[in-house]
Amino acid sequence: MTTPPAVRPVLPQSADVPEPEVDMRTSLAWAALPNPLATASGCAANGRELSRFFPLSRLGAMVTKSVMLAPRSGRPTPRMAETPSGMLNSIGLQGPGVDAFVQQDLPWLKAQGARTIASIAAGSIDEYAEVAARLALAPPGTVTAVEVNISCPNVEDRGLVFACDPDAAAAAVAAARSATDPSIPVLAKLSPDVTDIVSIARACVGAGADGLTMINTVLGMVIDTTTLRPVLGGVTGGLSGPAIRPVAVRCIWQVHAALPEVPILGVGGVRTGLDALQLILAGASAVSVGTTVFNDPGAPLRVLGELRTALAERGFERMRDAVGYAHSALGAGADRIAPPVPPGPSLRAPSADGAGSGYDETAYDEGR
Amino acid sequence: MQVRGEALSVRRVGAYYALTLLAPGVAERFRPGHFVALAIGDESSSMLLRRSFSIYRCQERGVYGGTVEIVVSAHGPGTEWLASRRPHDPVDVVGPLGTPFALPREPASCTLVGGGYGSAPLFTLAERLRARGCRVDIVLGAATEERLFGVLEAKRMADSVTVTTDDGSLGTRGRVTDVLPRVMERAGTDAVYACGPMAMLRAVSDVAAGSGVPAQVAVEEAMACGIGVCMTCVLPVVGEDGVTRMVRSCTEGPVFRGDTVRWADVGTVPADCLGAPVAAGGH
Ligand SMILES: Cc1cc2nc3c(=O)[nH]c(=O)nc-3n(C[C@H](O)[C@H](O)[C@H](O)COP(=O)(O)O)c2cc1C
Ligand code: FES
């Protein structure tokens, strides 16, 4: 067993107490980020509104709203319902279409000094390829990574969600990957609404995903007990917020245990620096703050500060050293929790010392 | 902007509560029609979504700094929490938000219509209109006398005040639109401003359009963020190019021209809307 690092409180920050010294740099595949805090797709629009609250350049990355080929009006209202420590949404991917996004939003984001992770969505394999191809026409340097939202119904297959089937997920990712500039990493965004998230993760990595984003919302529903009807115009919706954080931690944990070298952008219920730390300890290299932004527009930077302090208090000098740390702390016990999935053929062999991955998981593992 | 404000006072006004908040920086930027989005509970509250309120009035420099006053109808756990604030309790305020009312450049005859506590933003609007030399007539309506807001205040600032209640407990029994045509005729109305429930805004927009008078209405849509990032607060609005779009009531609104809102289609995505029809969609 590992001895947990002692938690030494760091004084609260003020003008005369400097920020604790922790190297917050991270990377998602080969995309280098100055810090691990990002927005979440659909929870920050395309940056203009949040830029009134803080400079977007201070984020590790700005993840934009999933964009499809054509403009979309989205679903009828009501589009949301508050739930305990969370909310349901059914927006229906309202947006301007990829061409307007490429012409108007990407150059603006670049001018703000933001690192943009552009999220794309589609209703068919061909549309994924087409959206990615149009995105590839963006001015050089405006896209740091592409996130492929595969939690979309496949109009060509009875509306089955790509993310729920390994073959469909792989086909969507392969289409987006092959149409994207090879110098830009592609992340596949996974849905937690699956029996075995590791097999979907494996399929996506096998299809060329350079990293994974986890998790999208959890399908849910609320019924109005006065009108006796579903609350949402779209009937069902996606559950998000702190209510789903344990699901996110579990998904990241399982996938990181099975695929330790695949970088993960963690998302789901992050409200505080300690929440972000949980996702990182489970295996996330960077963390998105989604629904919490509705509660606290300045949350991404607040969480960044809290995370820095939390890392310093635990003796971490580099954020990267904390990535997946909970696995090494658990030692062999991790195997019991990872699902019994045979290793896939498509994976690089995990290296014992973490060489090449940039992570040094043994740095604090005094018991090993 | 986002400020850590604090409650200064909570007063009961009829069926409602008037909540005054210390919120430095918000008052200085305020224009009538703006709203604030308030966080409910503390940093670990299980109610994540902000509640949005149009600003009733503002003071740039009170004893403690700028203050903002809103009117709350306590009908759920979030609004009940707000109504139970005591002096010095912290309240996190984001604002001022939204597109405010446009004021006429020349002195004009303006008729202001408010439903229930939706009338809250009309009083500072009336003040600013009066300051520009406008004639101001106010129509206030509600289900009952208790649910009217600001009748006395309206009487202090308007050239005429007409009150309606559904049950006849004060003023004319009926709806605001039952008396509006008469008020507009008497006032020679050039512009209508309205604020209140959607059904009332629709009826007021129809009356105004029927007399060829432009109406500006502040809509009430359910808002999750209030700052334009979540896309929950949309309604179908016809743009200057004649194209209908689902637009955000928190940023493009809450004030819209009454004749641009597709009232009959609110709560749906009209088939001729940009980007419609939607086959199945992801979330
Ligand atoms: C209103 C809303 C809209 C969203 N839109 C998208 C989207 O367009 N694409 C996407 O991949 N995820 C979308 N999501 C999911 C979030 O990016 C995120 O994965 C999820 O909300 C969990 O994180 P959270 O608990 O921090 O919000 C949306 C979530 C919300 C609440
Ligand atoms: S309330 Fe979130 S976009 Fe309007």
Side-chain angles (χ1 to χ4, degrees):
Chain A
M1 266 313 280
T2 309
T3 333
V7 178
R8 273 176 247 96
V10 171
L11 286 175
Q13 258 147 259
S14 73
D16 34 81
V17 183
E19 289 193 339
E21 288 271 327
V22 179
D23 179 353
M24 298 298 279
R25 286 174 300 167
T26 187
S27 61
L28 288 169
W30 57 93
L33 307 177
N35 72 65
L37 260 294
T39 56
S41 181
C43 300
N46 290 335
R48 288 177 211 265
E49 298 80 4
L50 278 193
S51 70
R52 293 161 60 199
F53 293 89
F54 57 83
L56 301 180
S57 57
R58 291 186 57 196
L59 290 167
M62 165 78 208
V63 184
T64 52
K65 169 89 188 156
S66 296
V67 70
M68 300 182 77
L69 190 55
R72 300 242 313 180
S73 62
R75 292 221 186 88
T77 53
R79 288 180 169 186
M80 61 107 166
E82 193 175 51
T83 61
S85 291
M87 69 178 283
L88 278 186
N89 87 80
S90 120
I91 309 296
L93 294 175
Q94 178 170 349
V98 66
D99 293 339
F101 173 72
V102 165
Q103 283 153 26
Q104 286 153 31
D105 294 299
L106 286 175
W108 181 85
L109 283 161
K110 171 85 178 164
Q112 304 301 304
R115 287 151 293 277
T116 301
I117 298 181
S119 171
I120 61 170
S124 68
I125 301 300
D126 288 347
E127 190 184 348
Y128 276 110
E130 184 64 23
V131 178
R134 305 267 184 114
L135 189 63
L137 302 174
T142 55
V143 176
T144 297
V146 173
E147 185 177 275
V148 189
N149 174 4
I150 53 174
S151 297
C152 304
N154 182 351
V155 294
E156 290 167 351
D157 189 9
R158 294 169 293 134
L160 283 179
V161 173
F162 293 100
C164 296
D165 175 73
D167 295 335
V173 170
R177 176 64 277 181
S178 59
T180 300
D181 180 340
S183 73
I184 296 176
V186 169
L187 313 173
K189 182 163 183 183
L190 306 189
S191 163
D193 290 332
V194 295
T195 316
D196 176 17
I197 195 156
V198 173
S199 60
I200 307 283
R202 246 187 241 295
C204 290
V205 172
D210 306 295
L212 300 167
T213 301
M214 282 185 284
I215 56 175
N216 213 315
T217 52
V218 180
L219 197 61
M221 186 168 168
V222 175
I223 295 178
D224 184 322
T225 48
T226 306
T227 64
L228 312 182
R229 295 154 159 264
V231 169
L232 296 180
V235 183
T236 60
L239 181 64
S240 63
I244 69 165
R245 192 191 61 225
V247 182
V249 174
R250 181 269 297 173
C251 290
I252 295 166
W253 174 276
Q254 289 180 327
V255 169
H256 185 73
L259 308 172
E261 299 206 5
V262 176
I264 295 173
L265 172 54
V267 52
V270 172
R271 190 172 197 179
T272 67
L274 290 180
D275 297 343
L277 181 59
Q278 277 201 53
L279 272 61
I280 290 168
L281 293 171
S285 296
V287 173
S288 283
V289 178
T291 303
T292 297
V293 167
F294 306 161
N295 177 261
D296 177 10
L301 295 190
R302 172 179 57 74
V303 170
L304 174 61
E306 290 168 358
L307 174 64
R308 187 196 306 273
T309 303
L311 288 165
E313 285 174 347
R314 286 154 183 78
F316 289 102
E317 284 164 11
R318 303 187 304 172
M319 198 291 296
R320 281 172 305 206
D321 297 337
V323 174
Y325 187 86
H327 294 263
S328 55
L330 206 63
D335 297 342
R336 293 199 310 267
I337 293 161
V341 179
S346 60
L347 276 173
R348 293 155 280 182
S351 55
D353 59 1
S357 70
Y359 311 137
D360 182 1
E361 294 181 0
T362 58
Y364 292 87
D365 191 352
E366 294 156 4
R368 197 139 71 180
Chain B
M1 63 179 296
Q2 182 175 13
V3 284
R4 286 226 126 251
E6 67 177 63
L8 285 181
S9 69
V10 184
R11 285 183 298 128
R12 187 120 209 177
V13 185
Y16 311 115
Y17 297 87
L19 171 59
T20 307
L21 299 164
L22 182 64
V26 177
E28 289 80 342
R29 297 174 175 78
F30 162 76
R31 289 203 279 144
H34 273 145
F35 67 95
V36 286
L38 308 181
I40 304 300
D42 63 10
E43 292 76 15
S44 63
S45 167
S46 70
M47 287 179 270
L48 288 179
L49 303 184
R50 283 180 181 259
R51 307 303 195 259
S52 293
F53 300 90
S54 27
I55 296 175
Y56 165 38
R57 54 191 181 188
C58 269
Q59 239 169 6
E60 287 196 20
R61 261 166 302 145
V63 189
Y64 311 98
T67 62
V68 173
E69 195 170 355
I70 59 163
V71 181
V72 179
S73 167
H75 55 249
T79 43
E80 274 158 19
W81 182 85
L82 283 171
S84 64
R85 290 309 82 206
R86 294 290 156 259
H88 307 303
D89 285 353
V91 179
D92 190 289
V93 182
V94 172
L97 296 167
T99 303
F101 289 111
L103 306 183
R105 266 178 233 106
E106 307 288 323
S109 172
C110 300
T111 301
L112 280 48
V113 188
Y117 72 114
S119 63
L122 298 181
F123 305 103
T124 47
L125 174 65
E127 266 171 27
R128 305 235 173 155
L129 290 170
R130 295 296 303 240
R132 293 179 170 230
C134 292
R135 176 188 168 117
V136 174
D137 296 84
I138 297 184
V139 180
L140 298 177
T144 63
E145 178 178 2
E146 252 218 318
R147 306 203 146 264
L148 287 162
F149 180 82
V151 177
L152 284 179
E153 200 174 350
K155 284 187 173 153
R156 276 208 313 275
M157 53 180 60
D159 292 276
S160 83
V161 178
T162 311
V163 172
T164 68
T165 49
D166 293 353
D167 66 351
S169 50
L170 193 73
T172 307
R173 179 195 296 265
R175 301 285 163 95
V176 287
T177 38
D178 297 336
V179 300
L180 185 58
R182 224 174 338 119
V183 173
M184 287 175 63
E185 200 180 320
R186 199 177 55 216
T189 304
D190 301 309
V192 169
Y193 293 87
C195 208
M198 294 294 262
M200 185 205 92
L201 297 182
R202 177 181 183 175
V204 169
S205 298
D206 287 347
V207 169
S211 345
V213 172
Q216 292 183 48
V217 301
V219 302
E220 288 180 359
E221 263 294 345
M223 296 181 185
C225 73
I227 59 170
V229 296
C230 74
M231 305 302 287
T232 60
C233 61
V234 298
L235 72 176
V237 172
V238 186
E240 275 169 12
D241 54 2
V243 177
T244 299
R245 295 180 179 78
M246 299 299 286
V247 308
R248 293 166 298 185
S249 54
C250 67
T251 41
E252 283 90 343
V255 175
F256 291 102
R257 264 179 42 202
D259 59 353
T260 63
V261 177
R262 306 244 324 233
W263 298 104
D265 299 318
V266 170
T268 71
V269 176
D272 58 344
C273 178
L274 183 71
V278 190
H283 44 262

